[in-house]
Structures are given as structure tokens and as C-alpha cells.
Amino acid sequence: ATTLGAAAAQSGRYFGTAIAASRLNDGTYSSIAGREFNMVTAENEMKPDATEPQRGQFNFSAGDQIYNWATQRGMKVRGHTLAWHSQQPSWWGGLSGSSLRQAMIDHINGVMAHYKGKLAAWDVVNEAFNEDGSRRNSNLQATGNDWIEVAFRTARAADPSVKLCYNDYNIENWSYGKTQGVYRMIQDFKSRGVPIDCVGLQTHFTGGSSLPSNFQTTLSSFAALGVDVALTEVDVTNASTSQYSGLTQACLNVPRCIGITVWGVRDSDSWRSSESPLLFDGGGNKKAAYTSVLNALNAA
Ligand code: G3I
């Protein structure tokens, strides 16, 4: 196959990108994105600050712009994200305890009702752990340690048809504390019947030319708990070809690794553009990393 999406589809997987609504009228951007990918994540437009700027007043205009752009092209959409310590609506800042807990529940219900039956997955909770595997301090964590499971139970009831994911960064190295902390939570959720379907490994790689230790072991270990895994926000310092082909191969080697999403189209679109971490350069040309990923997908 000659595009990332079609090449990934040969093994039943998807290849996606983050999309920024503000860039969709850039012809180079939208033609590359529309050609290469078959899954889309809104880079910012479905986050709590964007979707519920005032309490109970939802705004889906930018999120819908991305959703419509993607589905008109036959692409699927991952929802990102419902509950996170960052990019919260400013009015959450005035709440705590049970009122913040209720605001989170109402937010999940309001957003998921709008997208009910339309999305492939939701990142229900994003980045809730510290590097050592303990829970990250946040206003949400302060509402009680059960806030994550309440978010997942609320989400399942709101839309039983969509896959519910926990999403985080620095959980790619199997021997890392944070990876183990997230693993124990998924294990606990599965043992107690808390609804969860998938783990998103953001896969923001920095430096070096080799993958974090036992990356494939991490994927297969999460999968063995009975969840799908996905690489959800891939970017790599200087787009190291060996890391890009290695992360692609690791996903291909794990049956429950269902897809890969890169966190932007061109280097110039990236949140860390100075590191040139994506598959297309600022001019929209395919980089060596693009070819290494495409070849790995085609060899599967
Ligand atoms: O849209 C406003 C614009 O109106 C304003 O003039 C401008 C001035 O600062 O800010 C613009 O908003 C920025 C927004 O991106 C859109 O460009 C925010 O400041 C900026 O903070 C925001 O950054 C986003 C970041 O999440 C915020 O946490 C990045 O685009 C986005 O790529 C990044 O994505 C996160 C994932 O959601 C979770 N994992 C890590 C990943 C990278 O940080």
C-alpha cells in the first residue's frame, strides 16, 4: 500500500494523526492528512476547556468541524479527552470536592451525549499518574481516589458503544514506575469490573535511537489484562528512523495493538516543532521516517 492508513489496514489496524481545526483550511495540510490517515484525534478541540467553557453550556463547533472533516473522508475519530488536570474550563477552578466531582460527571455526560455512537474511542482520563507510579495531585484527585473509576463508570453508561481508554505518557518503558502504576490500576479495574477497554500510550519519545526498554513487553503486558492498546500521540526527537520503525514493529507484533496515531502532520504543526519529530517536513515532504514506517507496515 502507498499510504500509512491503507498500509496499516492490511493488518486490521489504523494509522491516525492529531488534527487542529485551525489548520484545515491550509491546503497542503488537509491534502496530506486526508490522503495518508484513516483515524483522527482532535488536538485540542474536544478537551474540557473547549467543549464546556461555561457550566452547562457546551460548545462543539470546533470539535464537530474536525469530526465532519474526518468522517466525510471515511476516517474514524478518537475522542480526546474528558477528564484531565490540564486544559480545564476556568470555572472548574472555583470548584472542589463533591461539586467538582459532579461537574466532571455532568461534563462527561454532556460531551458523550453529543458524540454518542459516533466515535471509535474516548480517552476518558488523561495523565493521572506521577512518574513514580503514584497518583498525580490535581483538583480531580483531591475529590477522592475513586475519581478515575467514577469517570469510567459514567462514560460507559453515557455511551455503551464507544471504547473507553486511559491515556498517558512515559508508560512505554516496562520497568518504569509510572508504567507499573498504570498497569496496577488497569489490573484492579479489570478484577473489579470497572469498565475499561483500552490503554493509550502517548509515545512522545525523546533522544536516542533505540526504543525504551521492553516497549513491546509493555504493550503485550497491558494487552494480557484484556484491554486493547494503541500508540496515541507519537512523535520522536528528530524523527529517528530506527525508533519510528521500531515502535511500528512493536505494535504490529502485538495482536491487541490496534493502531498508531502521530501527534500532528508536518513538523511545523507539532507542539514540539523545534525537534522536527513528525513524518512530514514543514514543506509537506515525506521524511525518511515516513518511509521506515510505511515499509514496516507493508512488511507485516
Ligand atoms: O487557541 C489559543 C489561541 O487563541 C491563543 O491566542 C494562543 C495563545 O497562547 O493559545 C492558543 O491555545 C493553545 C492551544 O494549544 C492551541 O494552539 C494553548 O495556548 C496551548 O497550551 C495548547 O497546547 C496544546 C497542549 O496539549 C496543551 O496542554 C497543544 O496544542 C497540544 O498538542 C497538546 O497536546 C497534549 C495532549 O493533549 C496530551 N498529551 C500531551 C500533548 C502534548 O503536550
Side-chain angles (χ1 to χ4, degrees), residues 73-92:
R73 287 161 179 76
M75 305 157 91
K76 294 183 180 171
V77 179
R78 298 185 81 258
H80 174 78
T81 178
L82 296 167
W84 188 21
H85 68 274
S86 180
Q87 287 180 286
Q88 298 184 350
S90 54
W91 59 272
W92 284 16

Side-chain angles (χ1 to χ4, degrees), residues 16-19 29 37 43 234 262-266 269-270 278-279:
T17 184
I19 288 287
Y29 178 87
F37 303 101
E43 188 172 2
V234 176
V262 288
W263 205 237
V265 178
R266 301 162 300 193
D269 304 314
S270 171
L278 295 174
L279 300 178

